[in-house]
Amino acid sequence: MNRFKNPYDYLKYFGVTDPKDICLDILSKGCDATVQYRMLTGCEGYIVGVKDSATIFVSNAVSISRQRFCIGHELGHWMLDRGTPRFSCKAEDIGGHKIFQKGVEARANRYAADLLMPEFLFKPAAVDMEMSFNSVRKLAKLFQTSIMATAIRLTRFGSFPAIFAWYDAKNGSRISCVRWPEVPSFIWPHEQLHHETYAMEVLCGKSTDSGGPKRIDASYWFDTRNAYDHDVYEHSIKGYGDLVLSMIWWKDESMLDELS
Ligand SMILES: [Zn+2]
């Protein structure tokens, strides 16, 4: 019976060299877990493990990308938390945007993200792509993953500096953000959406997509000492649930260079 605490070992063991090889029904069987799709109430997925085999139950009422993330998440429990006979995972436990938290659920989310979008496949796929939801959609189609989880991945592994931020669509307050690795950690997008941003147009219902990366005054997004002297590129869309998602991209890195 195989147990892969590192998802990359798991993928390499099964000879995965292409995103389309990440077939979770087959990979699961390789570690003695069977996936079953069915109507679930009160949760989106759960796993029952007995000795060295397990059954993963996934809701058949959610999208394929969501099902895949659920299976990846439950496989994370199976690989990392063996010994706990059952995990029942609510919708709020499972999601790419929770991978930075602590605890068993966040750990399972990180496992799912690494399994579904491994760095060794994602980085080459994303190389030189613009930092926008146009790219996120292409990558999400390739990896069969959600827009949210894929946007986080593009921000981490893309070729250019960007921040991906998500806001509460009810009141425009920032929920969280992810930075490209070399963007300084003291740079935060505003806590409240500025009324001049394209994200505010999405929040107000003018559109669900601001239409690709558009140039905008950096001070509408940031309060660094040089923000008034620079522009950034913003692409904002309506996200799943009550979220506004914004990708902010520094095509010209001089603003960041001045701050480093
Ligand atoms: Zn879980």
Side-chain angles (χ1 to χ4, degrees):
M1 205 271 312
N2 297 304
R3 185 176 182 186
F4 301 99
K5 290 199 170 190
N6 182 334
Y8 295 168
D9 293 342
Y10 189 5
L11 294 167
K12 282 179 178 164
Y13 182 84
F14 287 99
V16 169
T17 56
D18 188 282
K20 68 176 182 313
D21 296 338
I22 307 173
C23 175
L24 295 180
D25 288 346
I26 294 171
L27 290 177
S28 301
K29 283 188 183 138
C31 61
D32 301 308
T34 307
V35 180
Q36 289 193 19
Y37 301 86
R38 59 172 57 180
M39 236 7 224
L40 299 179
T41 47
C43 67
E44 289 199 343
Y46 66 92
I47 182 165
V48 179
V50 179
K51 293 185 179 170
D52 284 339
S53 64
T55 306
I56 293 169
F57 297 92
V58 182
S59 170
N60 57 12
V62 296
S63 67
I64 287 173
S65 62
R66 185 70 181 161
Q67 286 177 337
R68 282 172 64 78
F69 204 90
C70 287
I71 296 167
H73 176 103
E74 300 305 336
L75 283 171
H77 284 317
W78 182 231
M79 300 295 181
L80 303 170
D81 307 309
R82 197 73 59 90
T84 304
R86 174 181 170 129
F87 276 96
S88 185
C89 305
K90 295 192 275 299
E92 60 265 32
D93 293 330
I94 303 170
H97 60 300
K98 298 206 172 152
I99 60 174
F100 305 112
Q101 294 172 1
K102 289 183 180 161
V104 289
E105 296 303 336
R107 213 161 44 128
N109 285 332
R110 283 194 289 277
Y111 196 95
D114 285 341
L115 187 67
L116 297 174
M117 294 171 284
E119 183 177 350
F120 67 90
L121 293 179
F122 197 91
K123 255 188 175 169
V127 73
D128 290 340
M129 273 188 165
E130 64 177 30
M131 302 301 272
S132 75
F133 291 103
N134 300 334
S135 303
V136 170
R137 289 189 185 108
K138 283 180 197 157
L139 291 163
K141 195 173 171 193
L142 181 65
F143 287 89
Q144 297 181 67
T145 42
S146 70
I147 294 297
M148 187 81 192
T150 312
I152 291 171
R153 216 63 175 164
L154 177 63
T155 313
R156 305 282 290 178
F157 295 139
S159 299
F160 306 111
I163 282 182
F164 168 47
W166 50 103
Y167 286 78
D168 188 328
K170 292 193 285 295
N171 57 20
S173 62
R174 189 185 67 223
I175 297 172
S176 193
C177 69
V178 186
R179 295 174 190 78
W180 194 66
E182 290 174 39
V183 170
S185 59
F186 60 80
I187 297 182
W188 289 87
H190 294 313
E191 277 187 31
Q192 282 296 132
L193 276 181
H194 192 286
H195 64 280
E196 296 280 4
T197 57
Y198 297 105
M200 187 56 95
E201 292 185 1
V202 172
L203 183 146
C204 294
K206 267 189 174 177
S207 68
T208 55
D209 186 329
S210 68
K214 291 182 176 166
R215 196 172 181 140
I216 186 169
D217 192 309
S219 67
Y220 295 161
W221 279 101
F222 305 104
D223 60 4
T224 58
R225 57 182 161 75
N226 61 354
Y228 284 98
D229 304 327
H230 294 276
D231 292 326
V232 289
Y233 283 76
E234 174 198 340
H235 188 186
S236 293
I237 62 169
K238 177 87 173 67
Y240 180 74
D242 269 332
L243 295 178
V244 174
L245 313 180
S246 296
M247 187 70 77
I248 306 135
W249 170 26
W250 284 271
K251 265 192 194 183
D252 173 352
E253 299 179 26
S254 58
M255 175 179 159
L256 298 173
D257 293 342
E258 287 168 19
L259 295 168
S260 61

